[in-house]
Amino acid sequence: MTTPKIERLDIRSSDDVVRVRQLARTLALGAGLSLVDQTKIITAASELARNTLDYGGGGFVVAELVEASGRRGLRLTFEDKGPGIPDIDAALKDGFTTGKGMGLGLGGARRLSNEFSIHSKPGEGTKVVIARWK
Ligand SMILES: Nc1ncnc2c1ncn2[C@@H]1O[C@H](COP(=O)(O)OP(=O)(O)O)[C@@H](O)[C@H]1O
Ligand SMILES: [Mg+2]
């Protein structure tokens, strides 16, 4: 099987969260990431997919193999049309949760990634982009 350069997956169930992990693993391998870096991006992907499902009411991820100045990497974009995040700085703080989680997902995903950006508007939804480079 050839590794696709770009793939989109809906996130509507816990099974989909597992599929996101598997997709992240496949593409991280394809990008040539080390085992440690594979684990980092898979863990981050898992946290963000969970958030998309639990707080965003579902959505999708776009996964891309990317290349810039000879470096390969994996970029993942999570999007939902849920309630949004009113205070992003607060949401990024370790221990902040409005649910039953540990409040480590967003901050953890940021630490585990080489690139991290989050855009969210109350009432419109949330978009989180992460990347890990070789
Ligand atoms: N996609 C999202 N849509 C709306 N709110 C979100 C989303 N992702 C995260 N949040 C908010 O940010 C908080 C912190 O997220 P996170 O760090 O993953 O911790 P946890 O999932 O344990 O609550 C969540 O409790 C929630 O309030
Ligand atoms: Mg979370």
Side-chain angles (χ1 to χ4, degrees):
M1 198 183 99
T2 55
T3 308
K5 265 208 147 77
I6 178 160
E7 193 159 323
R8 187 194 135 126
L9 261 183
D10 283 336
I11 302 170
R12 306 239 159 261
S13 67
S14 291
D15 283 351
D16 291 335
V17 175
V18 174
R19 286 186 192 100
V20 172
R21 286 180 71 91
Q22 287 163 346
L23 178 62
R25 176 172 285 116
T26 302
L27 293 184
L29 268 170
L33 295 188
S34 71
L35 198 54
V36 169
D37 286 350
Q38 286 173 42
T39 304
K40 286 180 179 173
I41 190 93
I42 292 163
T43 303
S46 188
E47 290 295 333
L48 296 177
R50 235 320 125 193
N51 284 351
T52 299
L53 181 64
D54 289 349
Y55 301 111
F60 63 90
V61 63
V62 173
E64 303 165 81
L65 269 184
V66 285
E67 199 165 335
S69 5
R71 274 175 96 196
R72 293 218 279 170
L74 169 58
R75 177 176 294 130
L76 299 165
T77 302
F78 295 84
E79 254 188 271
D80 66 65
K81 294 205 183 315
I85 303 174
D87 186 342
I88 290 174
D89 286 341
L92 278 164
K93 289 217 169 79
D94 285 349
F96 179 94
T97 181
T98 57
K100 294 184 182 124
M102 306 238 297
L104 296 171
L106 276 183
R110 177 161 69 173
R111 287 190 292 272
L112 292 168
S113 305
N114 296 130
E115 287 173 25
F116 179 93
S117 74
I118 178 162
H119 297 276
S120 189
K121 267 198 183 155
E124 288 182 25
T126 299
K127 179 173 173 173
V128 183
V129 185
I130 57 170
R132 185 84 216 175
W133 295 91
K134 194 177 174 191

